[in-house]
Amino acid sequence: MTDDPSDPAGADLRQKRAVPVQEAFQRNYAQVQYHYVQFLTEHLADCARVFSGDLTKVLVLAVLGQRHIEAQTSVQKDRASGPSGAMSASRIADVTGLSRETVRRKLGALSELGWVEQVADRRWRIVVVDGASTLRRDLKDLDRRGLQRLARLYCALSPLAD
């Protein structure tokens, strides 16, 4: 078994490794919940500031971004299935629970920012220029702060997982 995110056997290993951590977190519930909610609220507030209060746009972008990252890191890319990391607005609506019309509006707004584009089969993907997403470049400060918060969360929760 590997711990490769694109490997189904890796998913099994992660699940097995997660069980004792989840049990430890349950034993230390109050502390875990405190650190988790602190991380979540700080990150959501930061996103709300960067996106002028539009967390729905953040959600749509996060779902599409996850698909993009999965496609970029997957060892078994299937080029025959179409553009790498592309998703339909309907699929994004299904995943998020948002209406298709809301998702379409948010994708249009994200497209105007140069972060997403619609491809020939009407699916959407993250814009990549010269091997890098415009999104990552434009949101580098938010990304840096998010990684700092994530590192603090990891450091706070690691001792509680033992």
Side-chain angles (χ1 to χ4, degrees), residues 109-158:
L110 293 166
S111 178
E112 289 176 16
L113 293 169
W115 294 345
V116 303
E117 64 187 352
Q118 194 170 35
V119 294
D121 66 0
R122 304 195 38 82
R123 293 186 301 161
W124 292 83
R125 68 177 174 192
I126 300 292
V127 172
V128 175
V129 176
D130 297 328
S133 71
T134 56
L135 169 66
R136 182 138 190 232
R137 178 199 67 216
D138 292 350
L139 295 178
K140 70 178 184 264
D141 291 336
L142 176 64
D143 189 41
R144 179 186 47 78
R145 292 188 303 270
L147 288 175
Q148 289 171 342
R149 275 190 291 277
L150 186 58
R152 286 194 315 266
L153 178 64
Y154 175 81
C155 290
L157 294 181
S158 292

Side-chain angles (χ1 to χ4, degrees), residues 87-96 98 100 103-104 107 124:
M87 292 180 78
S88 69
S90 293
R91 180 66 186 136
I92 296 169
D94 290 343
V95 170
T96 62
L98 299 168
R100 284 188 299 249
V103 169
R104 286 187 193 103
L107 287 167
W124 292 83

Side-chain angles (χ1 to χ4, degrees), residues 58-104:
V58 174
L59 180 58
V60 169
L61 192 57
V63 170
L64 194 55
Q66 282 296 98
R67 177 64 63 92
H68 172 77
I69 292 168
E70 178 184 48
Q72 296 304 308
T73 59
S74 176
V75 176
Q76 302 170 348
K77 293 180 185 175
D78 181 8
R79 298 292 181 198
S81 69
S84 175
M87 292 180 78
S88 69
S90 293
R91 180 66 186 136
I92 296 169
D94 290 343
V95 170
T96 62
L98 299 168
S99 73
R100 284 188 299 249
E101 186 53 40
T102 296
V103 169
R104 286 187 193 103

Side-chain angles (χ1 to χ4, degrees), residues 39-59 61-62 115 139 141-143 145-146 149:
F39 165 81
L40 186 60
T41 55
E42 284 178 9
H43 193 63
L44 288 173
D46 198 5
C47 289
R49 279 189 292 277
V50 170
F51 283 79
S52 302
D54 193 345
L55 290 176
T56 305
K57 202 183 292 180
V58 174
L59 180 58
L61 192 57
W115 294 345
L139 295 178
D141 291 336
L142 176 64
D143 189 41
R145 292 188 303 270
R149 275 190 291 277

